[in-house]
Amino acid sequence: MKLLVIGCGGVAQVAIQKCCQADDVFTEILIASRTKSKCDALVEKIKDKTKAKLSTAKVDADSVDEVVALINNFKPAAVLNVALPYQDLTIMEACLKCKVDYIDTANYECENTDDPVWRAAYEKRVKEKGFTAYFDYSYQWAYDKKFKDAGVCALLGTGFDPGVTQVFCAYAQKHYFDTIETIDILDCNGGDHGYAFATNFNPEINLREVSANGSYWENGKWIETEPLEIKREYDFAQVGVKDMYLLHHEEIESLAKNIKGVKRIRFFMTFGQSYISHMNCLKNVGMLSTVPVNFEGKDIVPIQFLKALLPDPATLGERTKGKTNIGCIFTGVKDGKKKTLYIYNVCDHQECFKEVGSQAISYTTGVPAMIGTMLVCKGVWKKAGVYNCEEFDPDPYMDALNKYGLPWVVEENPDLVG
């Protein structure tokens, strides 16, 4: 079947190559981006490794009309959005107009957080829900009735976190627990790229996420923290002992809605002190701002200028060594007895580079992007409406993780996070 992929960054390039490995499902793939030359270069690199027919196109994913025209011309079975989260709603609108299934890896963010209409809705949400992150699922969940009426499926957040972590939760709920009481999502990157400072995925998204207030879900409400206020230490299998910090993350919002009876959900990510020092310095001088400033007669957005200065995450693969370890620790009850469980994946940066020319951060997001898309296209995960990954049967997804390069481990009685 035909697949339209919008985006050609680090994650997109992994997802596309993994789709090419599943060429019994994806027989024809159109790769579209604002920069068509990137798409052309990727096709030249991989065209002899797959039976899938590959083509490229230029598209402005901020334009509903351009995306609609592209969909109508190509007539895909589904659209995989691996562009920027700023463009989620535009692409969803286009898919609705064309009645085509939609898949993405991260929830919507507003690019201009000073836009008065967005700001008013944001302030209302902060007051009602109690967390101040600039991203939440409300905008995309609001499309549920429209997608139901159109008879098409929108699968949100099929990356690793969000994505695989939610499938781990659904799998634990289905096979190991009667009730899950707490979930700790741990994201450890033990890789070293050798640069003084770089981000492992899009700098705009990464730096905004890490420098913002943290928050977690407990007893039916959000509890917010100062940026990087809560620090823990954990000994990760095949990586070692790392410092990790509590962040706000989108899958918490989704899991709080869909994992019935859960009392607390937290998300932790590891960072070295050098990364934190660099980030705080950049934040203090205004380089993480999304508000345009006038420089020599031209408006520039500081964080976009910073992005142009930093190493492209797509180029980090060759020089990154070490492993990632991402998973979920659960506590709960099974057959009236207390139970603890840890489901996680370990991924090697160098092995990822050998296979698809990327580092493990792009790999661990790109592989699940393909898997979610494949399950929707094959009709295994297909219902009209807007859904998150934990709302479907986890078993076929878990099987595909093992098959396509992200094998997982189930550990009984793990060390818990304090």
Side-chain angles (χ1 to χ4, degrees), residues 262-303:
V262 67
K263 296 177 182 176
R264 189 188 70 202
I265 312 169
R266 302 183 297 185
F267 179 95
F268 292 90
M269 185 175 282
T270 63
F271 299 101
Q273 189 55 52
S274 175
Y275 179 97
I276 292 172
S277 297
H278 277 84
M279 183 191 71
N280 285 336
C281 179
L282 292 166
K283 181 180 180 181
N284 290 340
V285 298
M287 285 301 296
L288 304 190
S289 173
T290 60
V291 180
V293 296
N294 189 276
F295 177 72
E296 296 184 350
K298 184 176 181 179
D299 282 345
I300 63 170
V301 177
I303 198 167

Side-chain angles (χ1 to χ4, degrees), residues 321-333:
K321 296 177 174 59
K323 297 179 180 180
T324 63
N325 182 319
I326 313 174
C328 303
I329 297 177
F330 306 95
T331 69
V333 176

Side-chain angles (χ1 to χ4, degrees), residues 30-212:
L30 173 59
I31 309 164
S33 172
R34 196 187 303 265
T35 310
K36 185 175 179 291
S37 58
K38 290 175 69 174
C39 307
D40 293 335
L42 178 62
V43 168
E44 192 62 30
K45 172 184 169 185
I46 65 176
K47 63 182 181 181
D48 296 329
K49 300 177 182 178
T50 181
K51 294 177 183 176
K53 180 182 177 183
L54 304 176
S55 57
T56 66
K58 178 180 173 64
V59 70
D60 178 0
D62 290 320
S63 167
V64 174
D65 290 343
E66 281 199 31
V67 179
V68 165
L70 190 64
I71 294 172
N72 284 336
N73 183 58
F74 183 59
K75 295 182 171 54
V79 175
L80 170 57
N81 168 20
V82 272
L84 293 171
Y86 309 141
Q87 296 159 332
D88 286 1
L89 302 188
T90 304
I91 300 172
M92 288 182 80
E93 285 279 0
C95 288
L96 265 178
K97 288 178 180 290
C98 300
K99 295 189 176 180
V100 170
D101 293 333
Y102 167 91
I103 302 101
D104 69 27
T105 63
N107 72 354
Y108 170 69
E109 292 191 37
C110 178
E111 186 169 12
N112 178 13
T113 55
D114 280 347
D115 175 77
V117 176
W118 179 88
R119 177 59 66 172
Y122 166 76
E123 297 291 354
K124 182 173 182 289
R125 189 262 287 164
V126 170
K127 194 173 293 185
E128 289 176 353
K129 292 193 175 181
F131 66 93
T132 60
Y134 283 156
F135 52 91
D136 70 282
Y137 274 117
S138 63
Y139 290 90
Q140 291 179 278
W141 284 343
Y143 277 83
D144 183 55
K145 186 177 186 303
K146 291 180 181 179
F147 269 78
K148 281 185 167 68
D149 291 345
V152 289
C153 179
L155 176 63
L156 307 183
T158 178
F160 206 108
D161 44 343
V164 174
T165 51
Q166 289 152 280
V167 177
F168 284 173
C169 292
Y171 189 78
Q173 181 174 244
K174 179 178 179 179
H175 295 286
Y176 290 95
F177 290 91
D178 295 324
T179 303
I180 294 175
E181 294 179 341
T182 70
I183 305 169
D184 278 335
I185 303 164
L186 311 187
D187 183 327
C188 168
N189 178 17
D192 181 10
H193 47 58
Y195 286 113
F197 184 71
T199 62
N200 289 296
F201 59 95
N202 187 292
E204 287 185 68
I205 308 305
N206 178 266
L207 291 168
R208 280 172 62 169
E209 178 182 292
V210 177
S211 62

